[in-house]
Amino acid sequence: MTENKHPKIVVVMPAYNAEKTLKATVDSIPKSLNAEILLVDDASRDKTVARARELGLKVVSHEKNIGYGGNQKTCYRSALEMGAEIVVMIHPDYQYDGRLIPALILPIELGVCDVMLGNRIRTRDEALSGGMPAYKYIANRGLTLMENFLLGQNLGEFHSGMRAYNRKTLETIRWETNSDDFVFDQQFLIQCAYHKLRMGDVPVPAKYFAEASSINFRRSTQYGLEALVVLGQYYLAKLGIVEAGIFKPKTR
């Protein structure tokens, strides 16, 4: 990061049909951050793009839907091209509170962490009263417990849609080779653990409501099973048996 001035912050929003919640999300981001906000629209069927432009956001629009992971790839590629030193990813569905971004990025600014996550599960009662479905809470707890143990981490949850990375992280791991689907998030964090990047988290309130995006039970089950496959790939690579391509260092 550059010396004697604040690092350049780019907030990226992977968007799909977020017209109704976009303004509330943008309004929650503190103006004092002086962050550039980039919305990447994945061929929404509503007026997300028009709303983003009304709000003065930088917009990249996909001609066809390429998936949640594919959307993030465009987010990070664009943020790096914009010269970002810290990239914050927040879903534009207002499920996460943008007011907490300064707390999220502070450990990165201080050089304490490379990756920070918003943790929605400070307590069980808080998560469930915030609307998190019981089956998602149970799955989140189970997978997070397993991932913490196997990866040697101590995160509150591995399944947050509010994240921050320093530039080093995006220049170290091979996120471009990851899935274009939801398991992208798990591949990303497991790659970070493999490359010994420092991860931490801060508490954020859980907010589930009708307009907030959420994958259904079938897709959640698929996501969980795919996350277990990536954990298996991690251990095969750590044992020197087979190194999946996603764990290879990025060529410069």
Side-chain angles (χ1 to χ4, degrees):
M1 297 178 188
T2 50
E3 297 179 357
N4 301 320
K5 72 179 185 73
H6 293 294
K8 180 171 182 176
I9 300 165
V10 175
V11 176
V12 298
M13 295 182 176
Y16 181 69
N17 294 340
E19 173 193 359
K20 294 180 180 178
T21 55
L22 179 58
K23 186 177 187 303
T25 305
V26 172
D27 287 347
S28 74
I29 299 172
K31 302 296 186 291
S32 58
L33 283 175
N34 294 317
E36 291 191 50
I37 303 177
L38 166 69
L39 181 136
V40 179
D41 182 74
D42 202 23
S44 291
R45 292 172 293 177
D46 64 4
K47 297 179 181 178
T48 296
V49 170
R51 194 77 181 108
R53 288 180 173 145
E54 288 173 7
L55 293 169
L57 308 186
K58 179 179 175 65
V59 177
V60 174
S61 184
H62 294 155
E63 291 186 3
K64 63 178 183 177
N65 186 279
I66 63 174
Y68 172 67
N71 192 324
Q72 283 194 67
K73 293 176 188 180
T74 301
C75 286
Y76 301 144
R77 192 178 303 117
S78 300
L80 290 175
E81 290 171 357
M82 292 165 67
E85 293 170 278
I86 295 177
V87 177
V88 177
M89 190 268 283
I90 184 170
H91 292 176
D93 60 359
Y94 200 48
Q95 194 178 122
Y96 299 88
D97 193 335
R99 295 178 302 169
L100 288 161
I101 291 176
L104 188 74
I105 66 174
L106 182 59
I108 296 176
E109 290 183 295
L110 294 175
V112 175
C113 289
D114 303 300
V115 177
M116 288 292 296
L117 307 177
N119 170 24
R120 295 168 296 171
I121 308 184
R122 179 168 50 188
T123 68
R124 178 170 57 248
D125 285 346
E126 191 173 85
L128 296 176
S129 65
M132 181 178 286
Y135 79 86
K136 288 195 174 185
Y137 172 82
I138 293 168
N140 190 314
R141 294 292 77 210
L143 277 172
T144 292
L145 180 66
M146 183 182 299
E147 287 163 324
N148 274 327
F149 178 75
L150 295 177
L151 301 174
Q153 301 296 321
N154 190 32
L155 297 175
E157 70 160 317
F158 271 78
H159 311 281
S160 173
M162 183 176 181
R163 304 173 172 211
Y165 317 117
N166 59 14
R167 189 177 183 95
K168 169 189 169 183
T169 297
L170 293 168
E171 292 179 338
T172 297
I173 66 172
R174 291 168 58 96
W175 46 269
E176 301 96 329
T177 65
N178 289 357
S179 169
D180 286 339
D181 208 346
F182 291 105
V183 77
F184 175 96
D185 278 349
Q186 294 307 289
Q187 290 175 315
F188 195 106
L189 293 182
I190 294 171
Q191 286 168 311
C192 289
Y194 184 83
H195 289 286
K196 301 186 184 304
L197 295 167
R198 301 162 300 168
M199 295 189 277
D201 58 21
V202 297
V204 299
K207 292 190 297 182
Y208 279 75
F209 52 97
E211 289 81 10
S213 61
S214 184
I215 60 176
N216 59 31
F217 180 81
R218 182 185 66 81
R219 296 285 277 136
S220 295
T221 301
Q222 177 185 342
Y223 164 82
L225 293 173
E226 289 173 344
L228 294 176
V229 170
V230 182
L231 280 172
Q233 292 174 326
Y234 169 88
Y235 257 85
L236 289 174
K238 292 297 274 187
L239 293 172
I241 298 173
V242 178
E243 185 178 48
I246 64 171
F247 297 120
K248 295 182 184 297
K250 184 178 288 190
T251 55
R252 297 183 183 261

